[in-house]
Amino acid sequence: MVKLQIKKLSPRVQLPKYETSGSSGLDLCAFLDQEVVIEPNDKSLIPTGLSVEIPDGYEVQIRPRSGLAAKNYISVLNSPGTIDADYRGEIKILLFNHGKEKFKVTDGLRVAQMVLCPVEKAEIIETKSLNKTSRDKGGFGSTGLK
């Protein structure tokens, strides 16, 4: 098991946790002095009061919580967000309200999840040509819907 060091930036911050034994992501909570209201079609940067020391060869991905998306149309705007192994600042969650109603973010609300993922570094090799495939340059829906 990989160790992930987490620093609480305040004594009242909640450490992230896996909600079930099969959970892939650790739930992250809002760390707020006062509630934040996100208007429809607007965003807000929500602090967590946490910073992490990610082991070399890994990243943390920030992902939406399915319940917030399904029930309230709230998502992580830059999903998945990437936290690089050398970042030591506070984790903040960029939430976006896709709904038609205002959404209130309160202190302690589980706003996102973070997943520790391995990262493979690539050796960059410049080339003049690439091997052809049956798909070739087809993209953005070129394979159809069914």
Side-chain angles (χ1 to χ4, degrees):
M1 183 175 289
V2 178
K3 292 183 176 21
L4 181 65
Q5 295 190 72
I6 298 177
K7 179 181 177 183
K8 292 170 64 170
L9 303 179
S10 166
R12 68 178 187 87
V13 170
Q14 298 179 48
L15 283 175
K17 64 179 183 174
Y18 295 105
E19 288 298 321
T20 67
S21 62
S23 294
S24 299
L26 293 150
D27 282 348
L28 294 171
C29 297
F31 178 64
L32 302 169
D33 292 325
Q34 59 186 358
E35 75 179 19
V36 172
V37 176
I38 307 175
E39 298 287 335
N41 295 311
D42 203 3
K43 65 186 181 315
S44 186
L45 196 57
I46 306 297
T48 65
L50 300 169
S51 59
V52 294
E53 184 174 320
I54 302 166
D56 284 339
Y58 289 86
E59 68 168 336
V60 163
Q61 291 183 3
I62 303 299
R63 301 179 184 178
R65 294 196 63 243
S66 59
L68 280 182
K71 296 174 185 172
N72 303 103
Y73 307 100
I74 301 300
S75 187
V76 175
L77 189 57
N78 61 324
S79 181
T82 294
I83 301 176
D84 296 309
D86 57 354
Y87 177 69
R88 296 294 185 269
E90 182 178 10
I91 296 172
K92 295 183 180 180
I93 310 301
L94 185 56
L95 291 183
F96 188 82
N97 183 352
H98 294 276
K100 296 179 181 173
E101 306 291 329
K102 295 178 184 180
F103 182 76
K104 292 181 184 178
V105 181
T106 56
D107 186 53
L109 180 71
R110 292 183 293 156
V111 292
Q113 54 185 327
M114 68 178 193
V115 177
L116 183 66
C117 300
V119 173
E120 187 71 33
K121 295 278 184 156
E123 177 186 354
I124 306 303
I125 302 169
E126 184 178 2
T127 184
K128 300 268 187 224
S129 64
L130 301 173
N131 291 332
K132 297 281 185 191
T133 67
S134 60
R135 182 177 182 174
D136 202 36
K137 295 180 183 177
F140 295 98
S142 65
T143 59
L145 296 175
K146 294 185 179 186

